[in-house]
Amino acid sequence: MTDIIKLLPESLANQIAAGEVVQRPASVVKELLENAIDADATEIILNIKEAGKSQIQVIDNGKGMSETDARMSFERHATSKISKTEDLFNITTMGFRGEALASIAAVAQIELKTKTAADELAAFICIEGSQLKEQTLISSAKGTSMSVKNLFYNVPARRNFLKSNPVEFSHIQDEFIRIALANPGVAFSFYHNHEDVFILSSSKLANRIFALLGNQLKTNLAPCKEETELMKVQGYIGKPAAARKRRGDQYFFVNDRFIKNAYLNHAVSEAYQGLIPADSYPMYVLFLYIDPIHIDINVHPTKTEIKFDDEKTVYKIVNSAVRKAISNFNISEGMDFSESVNHNVFANFTPQQNSFGNEIQESLKSSSKFEPSTDQRFSSKANLENWESLYKDLKSETKNRPTEIEQNIELRFESAANVESREVNKLSSNGFEEAIIFQIHNSYIIRQVRSGILIIDQQAAHERVLYDKFSNTLEQNFGASQQFLFPISLQLSPSDFNLVIELEAELHALGFSFGIFGENAIVINGIPAEIKAGNEIELFEGFLQQYKHYKSDLKLSVNEGLARSIAKRSAIKKGQKLNIEEMTALVEQLLSSNQPSFAPDGKSTLISYDLKKLGDLFGA
Ligand code: ADP
Ligand code: MG
């Protein structure tokens, strides 16, 4: 039998490894910037063209490489940063796998120019698809210039997979911001197609934050500091007033490396509970310093995820550091609670907006205690089995209902705090099925139907109704717009701005009308007709945020993501009082949907109860 196992050629192995390290131009930017930082550069220039697709160049004034090192740096597992196993556990530099340059070289054309202080001349190296094309000595200043051209030129599938320039650019910008935040002492210049994006001089962290995230933070930052035996926390948090409807400005760095960690993010948000609206996100830039022995950074090839060996303690430290920072500036601004009181407030607080909902959930749960032990669970989807027959009744009812009765009912409900059964009966005795509809806790609509009742979650129901409308609008490519008398200007983060430009056609189709208004700003002239006017800015920002979330977490298509986000963000919320007309319209629209029982995210919109089930609850 012939042997069939072969070793992969080195260049192919590198290309495969590249798949892990180099996903898009932003990955190259990250690796090159990190290498420059590791080389102790104090000045770094990032030059990109066409969102990094045609060129990414990083120039630094760091320690440079000798000619041999310059050539070696492109070999896989070539690194100056690890030489023995123990080093793996003691890494403080950014790179450590020695994979980045080899991976990039496998899928691009690279020109490297580098010189150490000790060498007279600089090494110049050209590499294409892992093949050395040229190597000579030239004269140059100390430091390194690495130019990566035509990324994925030899992997068409990956090149085609790249997103539009605004999207790729915004990824690059995200990476740049993370690295620039983590290294405020380093001066950075960032150019895109020869235009400057950020020019940052060496500065203190706070100034770096203002320069990158906006000057409006100047009055809204509070220092955060905590030191324990296990770790040190330092940085800044945004005061509650700086909380935004979009999740953008949240940064954690562990040993100066940007990381994502939902658990730690929760530790921060939890400290803000009750101080900011439930759907807002606090701003923070926090640096954690911890002995590398307590973390495992190698869980993810691009190293933005890390594991702590004692996650719970880390959570507590971060949470208490943030609480302390919040209460410090509250005291300094003369607010009326001491630190210890403050902690009690936090402990007992549930955000206003949700408390109704929670109460209801609780009472619904407890009511199920009385249920017979059959599978008639109050909130379970099994309840929906026979909602359709209820719905049929309702449809015929709403058609025949005379308007006097409707008004009659409205009056009665307004005058009586409790619905008296006698009155209800009187109505039903006049020959029509009574259109009994009312709202409880400004959150749920109860609708009597011939054979029982429907309980409708107003928020979920409205989401369904809006989602149907907007999906339809996007499909037809035309949405009615209500124009403002006074246009509203809106300053966006650069990445949100790019997103808006990218989605321009779809946003117009939805009914948004807007134009570009200076750098990263738009002016909104009109919004979809379906949306209630008021809070347009919040709505728009929240909508973008939601869309990004759906796009990245759920990988929804553009249209699906848009329809779902706008429905979610503009739907009536729990806690909002509705009048009879609004309730009636909402229920009718819901019931004429093709999918009335679920909101687009799968949450139930209605629960039905027939009289028998109600009777059963009372043990009848
Ligand atoms: P790693 O950073 O994980 O060591 P890389 O592939 O990113 O691996 O880089 C390989 C090596 O090349 C580094 O260990 C470093 O010695 C050298 N190197 C890369 N970029 C630079 C730079 N800008 N200045 C000096 N040395 C560099
Ligand atoms: Mg590296």
Side-chain angles (χ1 to χ4, degrees), residues 374-417:
T374 59
D375 60 356
Q376 295 175 2
R377 296 231 329 271
F378 197 91
S379 59
S380 84
K381 290 182 183 159
N383 271 317
L384 295 172
E385 276 166 18
N386 59 350
W387 76 267
E388 275 173 81
S389 60
L390 295 170
Y391 164 45
K392 265 185 232 133
D393 291 350
L394 179 66
K395 265 206 163 163
S396 58
E397 237 176 75
T398 46
K399 261 189 231 122
N400 303 334
R401 192 184 51 225
T403 48
E404 311 98 76
I405 300 248
E406 216 176 288
Q407 283 157 3
N408 216 344
I409 292 163
E410 190 172 358
L411 281 177
R412 270 164 219 284
F413 280 124
E414 278 181 358
S415 59

Side-chain angles (χ1 to χ4, degrees), residues 291-310:
D291 188 330
I293 203 156
H294 296 298
I295 54 180
D296 177 3
I297 4 179
N298 223 350
V299 288
H300 192 275
T302 53
K303 298 169 283 183
T304 54
E305 281 156 31
I306 72 168
K307 274 205 177 103
F308 297 93
D309 60 3
D310 185 359

Side-chain angles (χ1 to χ4, degrees), residues 31-32 34-35 38 81 94-96 98-101 303:
E31 297 295 341
L32 297 190
E34 286 185 347
N35 280 348
D38 285 346
K81 299 162 195 172
M94 299 289 164
F96 60 90
E99 251 175 2
L101 290 185
K303 298 169 283 183

Side-chain angles (χ1 to χ4, degrees), residues 426-471:
K426 232 196 280 170
L427 278 171
S428 56
S429 66
N430 66 10
F432 292 101
E433 278 295 329
E434 63 288 346
I436 291 185
I437 186 164
F438 59 95
Q439 192 186 24
I440 54 168
H441 293 274
N442 292 338
S443 297
Y444 295 88
I445 299 168
I446 311 276
R447 174 72 162 92
Q448 175 174 318
V449 287
R450 192 168 297 160
S451 45
I453 56 166
L454 294 180
I455 306 173
I456 290 150
D457 178 327
Q458 65 187 43
Q459 183 170 347
H462 199 212
E463 258 176 60
R464 160 56 59 192
V465 168
L466 288 174
Y467 168 82
D468 286 359
K469 274 195 189 148
F470 286 119
S471 309

Side-chain angles (χ1 to χ4, degrees), residues 31-32 35-36 38-39 60 63-65 73 78-81 95-102 114 144 146:
E31 297 295 341
L32 297 190
N35 280 348
D38 285 346
D60 69 55
K63 61 182 173 225
M65 288 177 262
S73 67
T79 175
S80 54
K81 299 162 195 172
F96 60 90
R97 294 156 55 113
E99 251 175 2
L101 290 185
T114 185
T144 302
M146 186 83 74

Side-chain angles (χ1 to χ4, degrees), residues 14-26:
N14 282 337
Q15 255 190 40
I16 293 168
E20 257 192 276
V21 181
V22 189
Q23 275 134 15
R24 51 178 10 132

